[in-house]
Amino acid sequence: MLTSFFNYSIVTVGGDGLYCECMNGLIARVQRDNNVNVNCHNTDIVSASIPMGIIPAGSGNVIVQYLHGTKCARTAVLHILLGGNVESNVCSAHEGGKLLSYSALILGFGLFGDMMHDCEKFRWMGPLRYNVVPVASMFKRREIDVEIEYYSANKEKATKRIKGLGKQISLPNGFMIPSSKSKIQRTKSTPGVLDSSDVQECEKEEGRVYAVDTHAIMMKEKSGRMIPSFGQDSLMVYTTHKCTLSDHVSQLTKVKNEQPDCYDYKFVSKHKVSSYKVRLLNATVSENTKTLQKDFFLNCDGEVIRITEPEFDVKLHKKAVRIFGNASG
């Protein structure tokens, strides 16, 4: 259910999925009013000034837990009435020159996309499916050949035009970092016009991965636990490379339990970025449908999005929405 609150705010009664649908609608309306082309993956969007509130009535209610430290509906209502709000980031996902969706919580490609797709087949199980189905998905996890371009969250000033514009510039051999079973090459690129303008450092990875995951609400360590941090200046991307099933289960268990060392594994690489691009290597496109022959999925805040193009882009949008609450992270 969606209602207006004193004519200047939006309150949802439901879970994370309903909030994210309403957030997408609000951002789309703001961009339309400001003549912003949302289908361009490099576009900076206009932040929404209308705050949103969430009264938890869903199966997950993760955002409410992050905001208030509890999933209590009465606590959420009190925060809405008090009127205090926090600025939160969102991520955009694009493919083929078209916006797929905005994400307020998690954007997972690979394993988490497959898990959510599998869960959708068992909606009749209710919330129980989120505890049962992912176990089966883990046993059939698949490696995906990808090339990932990470664009640094810090911009560097270019003082002069660089020759070989648009070509990849390899770093010294010390930056060639091997992984187990797959080679990972880190390089610098110089995209765009380099004439006294801002240039972002580009780092590339190529190899076989199980997952590429992004969290719009970043987590940081405090008192031996991972706590949410809203409105950060960068986006953290976690890439999971080849590993044993037992190690992978151990790592994901720590993530679920919010342990501070949950990403401190050799097979997990971490990148602090402003945006990134994922290319599917060796992916074949059907001549008839002009879409990928194999199925690949994005988990966007619990909603399943099928990838139809060989590459997609993800970009951070800082403090794009306001949510009622008093999160201090």
Side-chain angles (χ1 to χ4, degrees):
M1 182 177 72
L2 179 65
T3 62
S4 62
F5 182 71
F6 297 137
N7 296 322
Y8 72 92
S9 62
I10 298 172
V11 176
T12 66
V13 182
D16 300 315
L18 178 59
Y19 163 75
C20 293
E21 287 183 24
C22 295
M23 176 272 295
N24 268 271
L26 175 61
I27 292 180
R29 175 59 185 269
V30 173
Q31 307 322 303
R32 186 166 63 249
D33 291 345
N34 288 274
N35 297 317
V36 176
N37 180 13
V38 297
N39 288 319
C40 176
H41 72 272
N42 283 323
T43 297
D44 292 323
I45 65 174
V46 177
S47 298
S49 59
I50 299 176
M52 299 186 67
I54 311 171
I55 299 176
S59 56
N61 304 312
V62 175
I63 297 177
V64 168
Q65 177 71 38
Y66 283 175
L67 283 167
H68 315 310
T70 177
K71 298 179 181 180
C72 174
R74 291 182 179 179
T75 301
V77 171
L78 286 174
H79 280 292
I80 293 170
L81 294 175
L82 289 171
N85 56 76
V86 297
E87 295 176 312
S88 187
N89 297 339
V90 302
C91 303
S92 61
H94 289 78
E95 73 163 3
K98 185 177 180 180
L99 173 69
L100 294 175
S101 183
Y102 293 104
S103 168
L105 188 60
I106 182 173
L107 196 64
F109 171 73
L111 179 61
F112 284 107
D114 292 343
M115 280 183 175
M116 192 54 58
H117 177 257
D118 292 342
C119 285
E120 287 298 297
K121 302 174 186 177
F122 296 89
R123 294 189 69 87
W124 56 268
M125 295 179 63
L128 181 62
R129 68 185 185 275
Y130 296 121
N131 295 323
V132 176
V133 177
V135 176
S137 299
M138 282 295 298
F139 281 102
K140 60 176 184 178
R141 62 189 182 141
R142 55 175 173 168
E143 289 182 287
I144 304 174
D145 286 316
V146 298
E147 178 186 77
I148 309 174
E149 293 182 1
Y150 305 98
Y151 292 92
S152 170
N154 299 316
K155 292 185 177 181
E156 298 176 348
K157 283 287 186 178
T159 58
K160 62 180 180 180
R161 184 178 296 275
I162 300 177
K163 294 182 179 180
L165 182 63
K167 294 183 179 179
Q168 192 177 85
I169 302 174
S170 297
L171 291 174
N173 291 333
F175 289 85
M176 300 290 291
I177 303 178
S179 68
S180 57
K181 303 296 184 180
S182 64
K183 295 181 180 179
I184 301 176
Q185 181 175 355
R186 304 188 187 276
T187 61
K188 270 188 179 179
S189 295
T190 54
V193 179
L194 305 179
D195 191 4
S196 299
S197 59
D198 287 339
V199 178
Q200 287 180 286
E201 181 180 325
C202 175
E203 185 178 336
K204 287 188 180 182
E205 276 190 339
E206 180 178 331
R208 298 174 65 84
V209 302
Y210 285 122
V212 181
D213 302 313
T214 304
H215 302 271
I217 303 173
M218 289 181 63
M219 306 295 286
K220 67 179 184 180
E221 183 180 356
K222 184 177 181 181
S223 302
R225 292 185 64 82
M226 299 294 283
I227 64 169
S229 183
F230 291 80
Q232 291 292 307
D233 290 332
S234 59
L235 187 67
M236 191 67 77
V237 186
Y238 301 99
T239 307
T240 306
H241 301 272
K242 188 169 183 178
C243 59
T244 64
L245 179 61
S246 60
D247 284 344
H248 202 172
V249 171
S250 173
Q251 186 260 330
L252 292 179
T253 301
K254 288 188 176 183
V255 172
K256 182 178 180 180
N257 295 332
E258 299 177 347
Q259 296 182 19
D261 62 342
C262 59
Y263 295 109
D264 295 340
Y265 286 78
K266 291 182 179 180
F267 56 84
V268 178
S269 60
K270 298 176 285 186
H271 303 267
K272 188 176 289 187
V273 304
S274 61
S275 62
Y276 64 95
K277 180 190 294 287
V278 176
R279 289 191 182 92
L280 303 178
L281 304 179
N282 305 320
T284 55
V285 178
S286 172
E287 293 183 0
N288 296 327
T289 63
K290 304 300 181 183
T291 59
L292 295 174
Q293 291 185 346
K294 288 187 177 180
D295 290 332
F296 298 96
F297 305 100
L298 275 177
N299 173 4
C300 182
D301 300 333
E303 296 297 320
V304 179
I305 300 176
R306 185 174 183 270
I307 298 298
T308 60
E309 301 279 344
E311 65 181 44
F312 63 90
D313 295 90
V314 177
K315 177 179 170 62
L316 169 69
H317 300 281
K318 303 175 187 176
K319 301 178 180 179
V321 292
R322 294 175 177 269
I323 316 175
F324 288 115
N326 66 347
S328 58

